[in-house]
Amino acid sequence: MTTLDQVKIGERFRVVGFTESDPSLVARLREIGFAEEDEVELLYTGPLGRRPLCFRLNRTMIALRMDEAIAIEVEAWT
Amino acid sequence: MSALRLALVGAPNCGKSTLFNGLTGGRAKAANYPGVTVETRSGHFVSPAGRPIDLMDLPGIYGLNAQSVDERVALEVLQGRVAGKEKPHGLIVLIDAALLRTHLHTVLQFRSLGYPMVVVLNMFDLAERDGMQIDVGKLEELLGVTVIPTVSTRKAGREAFLQRLDQEIEGWEEVEPVVEAERSLKEIQMAARKMASEAILYEPPMNRVTRAIDGVVMHPVAGPLVLLTILFLMFQAVYSWTEPFMDAIEAGASGIGDFVGASVTVPWLHDLLVDGVIAGVGSVLVFLPQIIILFVFILSLEASGYMARAAVMMDELMLRVGLNGRAFIPLLSSFACAIPGIMAARSIDSERDRLTTILVAPLMTCSARLPVYTLIIGAFIPPERVGLFNQQGLVLFGLYIAGIVSAIIIAFVLKRTATRGSSQTLILELPTYKLPTPRDFFLNLWMRIWAFLKRAGTIILSTSIVLWFLARYPTSAGSLKESYAGMIGGWLEKLLAPIGFNLEIAIALVPGMAAREVAVGALGTVYAVQGGEENTAGLAEVLQSAWSMPTALAFLAWYVFAPQCFATLATARRETNSWRWTAFMFGYLFGLAYIMAGLTYHISVGLGL
């Protein structure tokens, strides 16, 4: 299973679900817009240690830390 | 006719404040909630049909799962659970038309509360310019509520919106809200995505301008350079562009002082007004130009959408020292003055991170310390060259660095001890770049300046009067030394003697409680009094003969931490809503100042300086 902390810049992915280890984190991710079937792409990474991660979610841009991105499961966009 | 109560709700960055300011003319009453720093604003306007409306602007939130303080407050207001605040009759739900797909579930969450509502598809023109095509009728049909496409930055857009609103609000006060059956967030999202897919006829890729700017601004190498350039410009502006204005305010204050001095003949009243009120308040007002420039920069960065990028860029660095990317701007502001810095910490939603930020903010070298540094460095550090650099400049730079390094260490320690707790998250949306609208910009600028003046002004006025009293009385006192301030200085001296401070320094620190740079004037007073009328030599020369080098260095070290600024403490008290944390802040700053000044003194003595 691929999670969003492992993806490379420029590759498109589809959200398939969330690792349910931290329900309050998942709720926050859902509220800001992440949902099943959404299109995500890593656009930029921060200057220090390639963190945090900036994603395109549909037409929005959202920055996540590694331990937040790890909660989002994705598969290659086809 | 009694006013209809409407609440304005929506996600952050959807143009909510712009619509609010446009409808109410910016005349708003801000309210803070007890214990938290979430601010809601209320305003009043009359609709075209003559209907009086009370409009409440709630904090920008993505939903109602009560994850953040903002969400909790919004939910409590909407459910009528806040004392003294009546439930609204209906909602105006805003959504950025360009982000319809991602944000529609927010609208469904608000709909579930059962209030009568209209949905505003805001910034419709920008979405259309991007190439978005939305079937508004279809969306209305799917949502079951009226959807109004609007451009809230334009007067025509707001007027058209109001015409529609008038038709909708008929009979809203009679509606008893029926809360929808609870659904999981996932179910709500799936329903929203399905609606969005049906209502969106064409959805283009992301905004091109934003992508192009971010290609540079978010670049791992170019991005930090852009940030550094902006910061450099900001500091340049704060420190060098403001000088003529600050001189003008100083001249104005002393002019008013002279005028009042000449027209008031009762001696105590004369002294109270001239030395207490006008000089005291003037000493803080002199920083107003710097604070205005600072706010102009910060507001432009916020309104354009860059601020979120700066927070993201700095996040990892700040995280490693125990802070949060969002703490970057508050700490930056603190270089001008800790008061706006501490107030700006409100944007940090993690309560613990906010507290850490407030606690270390006074360690950033504020501009009130500069006159003190300049005086002592000018008097004691020879202007020799060390390699490429001037030794005086190096010492000044070193003092700034000492403040920053201490802040890092303190934050690191605090994060593991006093402010340990709930894990912090970033999860930050980066808004599309926008040109700030002048009306919002100046309204916000004015609101922040006013907040500073009110907060700094009231506390400064009262401390100035108290300190003036201490320095002037009892009336039998012939000099500052024999006044109450002198007596307090006398007690303080016993405490401060071990770190190399003499009686004069101890006395000067007492009026220095009002604002740090007041200590310079106080030193002048103490030494002038001591030397009698014939002592006209510059203060720097007097200090050179009166102080040893170790004492001077210890004084500099003291000022890196310098706990004595009433206005900062009062602001910290207000923002933390806790005497305990305020006392903690004072205590740790005092302890550090004492230890570091003592170390500096004894090491310098040991080195034979």
Side-chain angles (χ1 to χ4, degrees), chain B residues 227 230-231 234-235 238-239 294 298 301 307 318 327-337 341 357 364-365:
Chain B
L227 183 58
I230 293 175
L231 295 186
M234 185 162 136
F235 270 89
V238 165
Y239 283 118
L294 187 76
I298 291 179
L301 297 180
M307 201 61 101
M318 301 293 274
F328 177 62
I329 293 307
L331 292 181
L332 199 65
S333 313
S334 303
F335 280 104
C337 175
T357 309
M364 303 294 123
T365 303

Side-chain angles (χ1 to χ4, degrees), chain B residues 56-329:
Chain B
M56 188 161 41
D57 185 19
L58 290 179
I61 51 173
Y62 292 103
L64 296 167
N65 281 267
Q67 296 285 328
S68 70
V69 192
D70 281 351
E71 290 181 10
R72 209 173 66 219
V73 168
L75 192 63
E76 281 175 9
V77 170
L78 291 177
Q79 293 175 336
R81 285 193 281 138
V82 176
K85 259 243 182 308
E86 279 183 278
K87 276 205 295 200
H89 293 117
L91 308 181
I92 300 173
V93 184
L94 258 79
I95 177 168
D96 181 348
L99 306 178
L100 185 60
R101 181 180 301 277
T102 320
H103 286 176
L104 191 60
H105 68 269
T106 307
V107 176
L108 290 192
Q109 292 191 63
F110 287 120
R111 195 189 66 180
S112 71
L113 294 169
Y115 285 106
M117 62 187 252
V118 294
V119 171
V120 176
L121 266 182
N122 200 24
M123 301 189 263
F124 201 71
D125 58 334
L126 297 180
E128 280 190 322
R129 202 179 305 159
D130 276 5
M132 282 280 281
Q133 286 171 27
I134 300 168
D135 183 344
V136 179
K138 183 79 190 167
L139 188 61
E140 250 176 359
E141 183 195 316
L142 292 166
L143 279 171
V145 298
T146 304
V147 176
I148 312 173
T150 302
V151 181
S152 67
T153 51
R154 300 227 191 93
K155 194 155 186 282
R158 291 193 298 270
E159 273 165 6
F161 162 72
L162 282 176
Q163 299 289 347
R164 288 290 304 275
L165 190 67
D166 254 333
Q167 297 162 18
E168 295 300 323
I169 55 181
E170 202 57 52
W172 274 17
E173 48 287 65
E174 274 90 55
V175 178
E176 196 49 49
V178 183
V179 180
E180 287 177 15
E182 205 168 313
R183 285 191 289 176
S184 76
L185 201 47
K186 182 179 176 180
E187 287 167 321
I188 293 174
Q189 275 185 315
M190 292 304 111
R193 292 292 193 271
K194 192 160 168 289
M195 284 182 195
S197 296
E198 283 180 54
I200 298 173
L201 303 176
Y202 178 71
E203 191 176 28
M206 260 182 76
N207 183 282
R208 257 191 245 119
V209 179
T210 296
R211 280 300 298 269
I213 298 174
D214 277 337
V216 179
V217 161
M218 299 298 287
H219 187 274
V221 181
L225 289 177
V226 170
L227 183 58
L228 273 177
T229 310
I230 293 175
L231 295 186
F232 178 79
L233 266 177
M234 185 162 136
F235 270 89
Q236 195 66 22
V238 165
Y239 283 118
S240 45
W241 301 356
T242 49
E243 233 177 81
F245 301 103
M246 296 176 79
D247 291 346
I249 290 177
E250 250 172 358
S254 74
I256 294 171
D258 289 346
F259 175 76
V260 173
S263 46
V264 178
T265 47
V266 186
W268 71 268
L269 188 63
H270 171 279
D271 289 0
L272 169 64
L273 290 177
V274 176
D275 302 334
V277 175
I278 297 172
V281 173
S283 70
V284 174
L285 275 191
V286 82
F287 294 110
L288 194 59
Q290 292 192 333
I291 285 169
I292 292 176
I293 295 262
L294 187 76
F295 281 150
V296 165
F297 267 85
I298 291 179
L299 279 174
S300 321
L301 297 180
E302 271 176 5
S304 63
Y306 181 75
M307 201 61 101
R309 270 97 179 160
V312 167
M313 201 104 60
M314 294 302 295
D315 189 64
E316 182 63 20
L317 187 65
M318 301 293 274
L319 193 62
R320 288 189 191 181
V321 303
L323 284 163
N324 183 308
R326 295 184 209 203
F328 177 62
I329 293 307

Side-chain angles (χ1 to χ4, degrees), chain B residues 490-560:
Chain B
W491 302 326
L492 271 180
E493 190 212 355
K494 294 188 184 65
L495 181 69
L496 298 175
I499 62 168
F501 285 11
N502 55 27
L503 177 62
E504 286 78 9
I505 297 180
I507 296 175
L509 287 180
V510 177
M513 291 294 290
R516 293 181 177 101
E517 92 284 8
V518 173
V520 172
L523 277 175
T525 315
V526 194
Y527 279 105
V529 168
Q530 191 187 38
E533 286 300 317
E534 73 273 21
N535 186 356
T536 47
L539 181 56
E541 279 174 51
V542 179
L543 292 183
Q544 277 171 1
S545 55
W547 292 9
S548 66
M549 179 63 108
T551 296
L553 294 179
F555 193 67
L556 286 177
W558 173 275
Y559 259 86
V560 170

Side-chain angles (χ1 to χ4, degrees), chain B residues 395-477:
Chain B
V395 171
L396 184 62
F397 184 69
L399 291 167
Y400 270 86
I401 298 295
I404 297 170
V405 171
S406 321
I408 292 173
I409 295 170
I410 301 294
F412 190 84
V413 173
L414 283 177
K415 231 19 232 180
R416 273 151 196 82
T417 51
T419 58
R420 193 181 44 211
S422 67
S423 69
Q424 40 180 1
T425 52
L426 180 64
I427 315 187
L428 184 63
E429 181 171 345
L430 305 180
T432 311
Y433 286 107
K434 280 180 205 78
L435 277 179
T437 49
R439 179 207 190 97
D440 282 334
F441 185 82
F442 287 111
L443 254 174
N444 280 331
L445 184 63
W446 169 244
M447 276 181 350
R448 296 206 191 182
I449 292 169
W450 181 237
F452 168 79
L453 284 178
K454 231 172 31 186
R455 247 152 261 179
T458 47
I459 186 81
I460 284 295
L461 181 64
S462 39
T463 36
S464 298
I465 292 173
V466 170
L467 292 170
W468 164 82
F469 176 83
L470 291 178
R472 191 180 185 277
Y473 289 90
T475 37
S476 60

